[in-house]
Amino acid sequence: MDDNDASEAIDLALTKLEGQRASHVDMMGSTPFAPLAHVQRPRVVAVVLQNNAMRITVVVDYHEGGWRVPTMLTGSRRNTAARALETGPMGLRAKSMKKVRRPSTDPKRSTPEHYWFTLTGLAAVDVDHVVVTSDVDTFRAVPDSDGVVFALVEATDTSNPAIVVHTRDGREVLAGP
């Protein structure tokens, strides 16, 4: 396995999730999951998988020569909110945030209590980009053609990542924490 090949990590997450769906079709939906978006950082891949009923974010890390998928995958009902033309005071619609604990393998870090923070949301048509900033990392996410925003930052236990939506007309809208 190669930590530069996101497709392996995505395939593992998808296989694991489909195994769960097969046992819980009534709750997890009747159609197979498919990747909606993914972000790759050094030694980690985060992927958003969705089907007709659910949207689930999975963080897969590279450890000791192979990709590791979490033992439990959780998500939420799929939100089918319409995409707005202009950004409102909340910044993003259908916003979902997730923290996944992973000890840092970087010896330069002062504390081993790090986690991955993911953000998914639906940006209005006027959004240029979204910046997510923690105490140790920053990520700039550009909405896809459907307005989906997906970001992944590393953070420490004491961090509460800030989410700022930047519009094409120069506005900055705080969308979180």
Side-chain angles (χ1 to χ4, degrees):
M1 292 188 177
D2 179 359
D3 73 334
N4 290 319
D5 187 1
S7 65
E8 289 181 50
I10 293 167
D11 288 347
L12 285 171
L14 192 55
T15 299
K16 172 97 181 207
L17 188 56
E18 279 301 304
Q20 285 185 357
R21 188 183 67 79
S23 300
H24 305 287
V25 173
D26 56 326
M27 180 180 73
M28 296 181 75
S30 59
T31 61
F33 281 88
L36 176 65
H38 80 277
V39 173
Q40 183 171 3
R41 306 285 301 267
R43 305 182 66 79
V44 66
V45 172
V47 60
V48 178
L49 302 166
Q50 77 175 12
N51 69 359
N52 63 319
M54 296 189 77
R55 181 174 287 171
I56 297 176
T57 301
V58 181
V59 178
V60 183
D61 70 324
Y62 195 80
H63 183 73
E64 295 180 357
W67 290 106
R68 292 188 308 186
V69 178
T71 55
M72 179 175 265
L73 304 178
T74 59
S76 58
R77 300 304 268 159
R78 184 172 170 190
N79 189 325
T80 56
R83 189 173 183 195
L85 293 176
E86 292 186 0
T87 301
M90 293 190 57
L92 295 172
R93 289 185 171 185
K95 182 174 66 175
S96 177
M97 298 172 287
K98 183 175 187 175
K99 292 180 180 181
V100 177
R101 179 144 325 274
R102 289 286 185 235
S104 176
T105 56
D106 184 349
K108 296 177 190 172
R109 300 283 192 217
S110 60
T111 174
E113 300 302 321
H114 285 233
Y115 62 88
W116 289 107
F117 175 87
T118 64
L119 164 74
T120 57
L122 183 62
V125 174
D126 70 340
V127 172
D128 182 66
H129 65 280
V130 176
V131 176
V132 180
T133 306
S134 76
D135 55 350
V136 293
D137 196 10
T138 298
F139 190 90
R140 182 180 187 268
V142 176
D144 70 9
S145 60
D146 294 326
V148 174
V149 173
F150 187 41
L152 173 70
V153 295
E154 186 178 6
T156 66
D157 277 342
T158 58
S159 179
N160 202 1
I163 303 162
V164 180
V165 176
H166 296 262
T167 63
R168 289 190 187 96
D169 64 3
R171 289 184 298 131
E172 293 182 3
V173 179
L174 184 63

